[in-house]
């Protein structure tokens, strides 16, 4: 068995995957830059009309020229194509963009060879493209970049085409001989017509969409331009609102969050000035594991029924002041623990408890009690805890994962803590019979129950709690 690239035709679509195939199952490409109709480059004749299974020998990739019919779709989801004897230079038979290459995973590696997108559309949503020579767009080629797709090459040349980007792209394009200024010129001028979320990239808006570190181009954070609501395009740089869970966000003013928003792993929410963020009216902000909300000098009130703040373990959560609101019924402050604990919400200034209708919820389903019976939920800073009334703990209800118990401590240091945490007792008591089992009783004799003992992993000996029911009739066989 050997690894091969299989091309399976379904209508006009060709699905590419790296799989183990037997030698007789594939027509093998032998290397070199060629067209599909060049018989000398194939082990057993040219694949007929792209209907045969195609295997690569690992040396290079054919140009797929004359037989690449208009409307053909190639889906590359896994496996690495390595071409050393010739470049990637696939293009169609009839005109510009008459076939589409979709790459959502795997890799394309040009060792000593070019990578050319030539007269077709290349959709890169995942995986990695690399060339040790150069990356080129030729003959009005179109490259659409999204997801986690990456490109790496020493130079870019033959630039006749466009590159289009969208919110949520988490990958990068590295061209060794480009810096920030030349990247701006490349996308705004050389590749004129390139877009971000459908908006033409210009020298005036390049910095709104992208950041460049050395030679590496990636998306920059999306910044608010005025007080407004999350999801309203006009309140964000370039008129582009963040997409939940996929963008880093900079709040330059105040913000109302009345929709879903997740600060995902590797993403950040920061601020450039003081202000506030209101969560309410069924808005839900989740700071996911690996995500960071760092808002010094910022107020964060609960505001509106049905608001929800979720802080996952392994995230960062920090604001200046936080308070819950008596006018925010059913507002949920939620912590989700991992095996080692929770993320402590850092409040630099003051935590004001003025509500009696919101909910504290702690998900302990993944917590390992071996790591302690105390978890710090909030560190509320040097200005302390402010309550609006005697005995006001700020939450009408505290809910824990089913079976878990704990007490809420508001009096230790500048912290709000869960203490005396007890995990669910899922181990049943052990009951042992005294005497023989089974026991023989002589017919007509009297019977005395020898009894039993019982013990529990938490409560110790619980023999006195045994309740015996029923009786033995020794006069009946």
């Amino acid at each position: 068995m050997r690894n091969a690239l299989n091309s399976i035709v379904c209508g006009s679509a060709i699905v590419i995957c790296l799989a183990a195939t037997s030698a007789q199952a594939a027509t093998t490409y032998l290397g070199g830059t060629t067209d599909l109709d060049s018989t000398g480059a194939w082990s057993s004749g040219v694949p007929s009309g792209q209907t045969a299974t195609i295997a690569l020998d690992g040396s290079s990739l054919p140009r797929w020229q004359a037989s690449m019919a208009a409307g053909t779709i190639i889906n590359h989801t896994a496996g690495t194509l390595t071409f050393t004897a010739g470049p990637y230079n696939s293009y169609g038979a009839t005109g510009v963009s008459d076939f589409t290459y979709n790459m959502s995973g795997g890799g394309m590696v040009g060792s000593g060879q070019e990578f050319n997108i030539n007269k077709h559309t290349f959709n890169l949503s995942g995986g990695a493209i690399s060339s040790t020579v150069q990356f080129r767009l030729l003959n009005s080629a179109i490259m659409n970049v999204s997801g986690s797709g990456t490109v790496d090459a020493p130079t870019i040349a033959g630039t006749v085409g466009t590159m289009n980007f969208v919110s949520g792209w988490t990958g990068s394009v590295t061209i060794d001989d480009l810096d920030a200024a030349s990247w701006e010129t490349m996308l705004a001028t050389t590749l004129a017509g390139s877009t971000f979320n459908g908006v033409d990239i210009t020298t005036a808006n390049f910095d709104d969409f992208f950041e460049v570190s050395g030679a590496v181009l990636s998306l920059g954070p999306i910044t608010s331009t005025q007080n407004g609501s999350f999801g309203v395009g006009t309140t964000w740089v370039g008129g582009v609102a963040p997409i939940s869970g996929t963008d880093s966000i900079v709040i330059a003013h105040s913000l109302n969050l009345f929709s879903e928003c997740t600060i995902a792993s590797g993403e950040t929410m920061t601020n450039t000035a003081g202000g506030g963020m209101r969560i309410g009216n069924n808005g839900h902000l989740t700071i996911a594991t690996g995500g960071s909300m760092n808002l010094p000098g910022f107020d964060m009130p609960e505001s509106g029924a049905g608001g929800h703040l979720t802080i996952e373990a392994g995230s960062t959560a920090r604001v200046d002041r936080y308070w819950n609101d008596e006018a925010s019924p059913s507002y949920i402050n939620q912590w989700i623990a991992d095996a080692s604990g929770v993320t402590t919400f850092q409040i630099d200034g003051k935590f004001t408890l003025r509500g009696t209708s919101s909910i504290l919820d702690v998900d302990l389903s993944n917590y390992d009690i071996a790591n302690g019976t105390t978890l710090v939920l909030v560190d509320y800073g040097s200005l302390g805890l402010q309550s609006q009334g005697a005995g006001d703990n700020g939450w009408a209800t505290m809910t824990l994962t089913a079976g878990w118990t704990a007490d809420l401590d508001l009096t230790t240091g500048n912290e709000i803590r869960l203490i005396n945490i007890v995990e669910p007792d899922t181990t049943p008591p052990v009951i042992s019979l005294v005497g023989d089992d089974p026991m023989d009783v002589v017919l007509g004799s009297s019977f005395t129950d020898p009894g039993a003992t019982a013990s529990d992993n938490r409560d110790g000996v619980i023999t006195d709690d045994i309740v015996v029911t029923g009786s033995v009739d020794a006069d009946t066989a």
Side-chain angles (χ1 to χ4, degrees):
M1 301 291 285
R2 55 182 170 74
N3 282 335
L5 180 74
N6 290 339
S7 177
I8 305 168
V9 175
C10 179
S12 62
I14 300 174
V15 181
I16 291 184
C17 62
L18 196 68
T21 62
S22 58
Q24 69 271 20
T27 297
T28 302
Y29 176 65
L30 301 177
T33 302
T34 186
D35 300 334
L36 273 183
D37 57 0
S38 298
T39 58
W42 297 92
S43 62
S44 56
V46 177
S48 177
Q50 292 272 4
T51 60
T53 298
I54 299 173
L56 296 186
D57 68 354
S59 62
S60 60
L61 183 70
R63 283 196 309 216
W64 281 334
Q65 181 181 354
S67 296
M68 189 62 74
T72 296
I73 299 173
I74 300 174
N75 294 321
H76 182 167
T77 60
T80 299
L81 309 183
T82 301
F83 37 105
T84 58
Y88 169 81
N89 193 35
S90 299
Y91 55 95
T94 58
V96 173
S97 301
D98 59 2
F99 82 93
T100 301
Y101 197 113
N102 298 320
M103 183 175 178
S104 58
M108 301 185 78
V109 180
S111 180
Q113 298 297 329
E114 302 171 356
F115 183 87
N116 303 325
I117 299 176
N118 192 350
K119 207 168 65 171
H120 66 281
T121 298
F122 197 106
N123 296 319
L124 178 65
S125 61
I129 295 169
S130 65
S131 169
T132 60
V133 178
Q134 64 182 359
F135 170 66
R136 299 204 296 174
L137 295 173
L138 303 170
N139 295 314
S140 301
I142 300 170
M143 186 174 198
N144 299 315
V145 184
S146 63
S148 59
T150 63
V151 179
D152 190 353
T155 189
I156 184 169
T159 47
V160 183
T162 57
M163 296 183 72
N164 304 305
F165 304 83
V166 295
S167 291
W169 174 48
T170 59
S172 62
V173 180
T174 303
I175 304 296
D176 294 344
D177 63 357
L178 296 186
D179 57 15
S182 51
W183 259 121
E184 179 179 310
T185 301
M186 177 62 63
L187 292 178
T189 305
T190 308
L191 297 176
S194 295
T195 65
F196 174 71
N197 280 357
V199 177
D200 283 351
I201 299 169
T202 66
T203 55
N205 64 24
F206 176 86
D207 290 334
D208 295 340
F209 304 140
F210 302 100
E211 57 187 12
V212 179
S213 176
V216 183
L217 176 81
S218 59
L219 286 190
I222 298 179
T223 305
S224 65
T225 59
Q226 61 191 52
N227 295 340
S229 296
F230 186 95
V232 179
T234 56
T235 64
W236 298 90
V237 166
V240 178
I243 295 177
S244 176
T246 58
D247 294 305
S248 291
I249 299 167
V250 175
I251 305 173
H253 300 271
S254 294
L255 177 67
N256 297 323
L257 179 61
F258 298 148
S259 59
E260 298 280 338
C261 178
T262 297
I263 307 302
S265 179
E267 303 297 337
T268 61
M269 176 182 281
T270 56
N271 63 303
T272 58
M277 177 170 62
R278 299 170 59 232
I279 303 175
N281 296 346
N282 298 313
H284 186 180
L285 174 63
T286 298
I287 312 166
T289 300
S292 174
M293 179 186 74
N294 189 5
L295 303 173
F298 221 64
D299 292 344
M300 190 173 176
E302 300 175 5
S303 182
H308 196 157
L309 171 65
T310 297
I311 301 174
E312 295 184 1
S315 64
T316 299
R318 178 190 175 200
V319 297
D320 186 58
R321 292 194 302 166
Y322 186 87
W323 63 87
N324 59 359
D325 193 329
E326 69 276 6
S328 301
S330 303
Y331 191 101
I332 300 173
N333 295 267
Q334 181 182 44
W335 279 260
I336 298 179
D338 61 12
S340 60
V342 297
T343 285
T344 299
F345 193 3
Q346 298 291 330
I347 300 173
D348 296 337
K350 183 187 298 182
F351 186 24
T352 302
L353 297 171
R354 68 181 188 186
T356 57
S357 60
S358 57
I359 299 166
L360 169 65
D361 178 78
V362 185
D363 183 344
L364 296 168
S365 55
N366 294 316
Y367 184 57
D368 184 349
I369 197 68
N371 289 310
T373 59
T374 297
L375 292 175
V376 179
L377 303 178
V378 178
D379 182 335
Y380 49 75
S382 60
L383 295 182
L385 180 68
Q386 181 181 29
S387 294
Q388 298 299 301
D392 182 8
N393 67 6
W395 291 291
T397 305
M398 181 175 76
T399 62
L400 303 176
T401 306
W404 290 77
T405 62
D407 298 316
L408 187 64
D409 176 19
L410 301 174
T411 62
T412 303
N414 294 338
E415 298 176 344
I416 294 177
R417 311 187 305 165
L418 285 185
I419 61 174
N420 304 322
I421 300 172
V422 179
E423 65 180 333
D425 187 357
T426 58
T427 304
V430 176
I431 300 176
S432 302
L433 296 176
V434 176
D436 296 335
D437 181 18
M439 177 177 287
D440 294 327
V441 178
V442 177
L443 183 65
S445 66
S446 62
F447 171 75
T448 301
D449 185 355
T453 62
S455 62
D456 183 75
N457 66 318
R458 288 191 179 176
D459 299 325
V461 177
I462 55 173
T463 300
D464 290 343
D465 295 328
I466 296 175
V467 176
V468 179
T469 60
S471 62
V472 175
D473 183 1
D475 292 325
T476 302

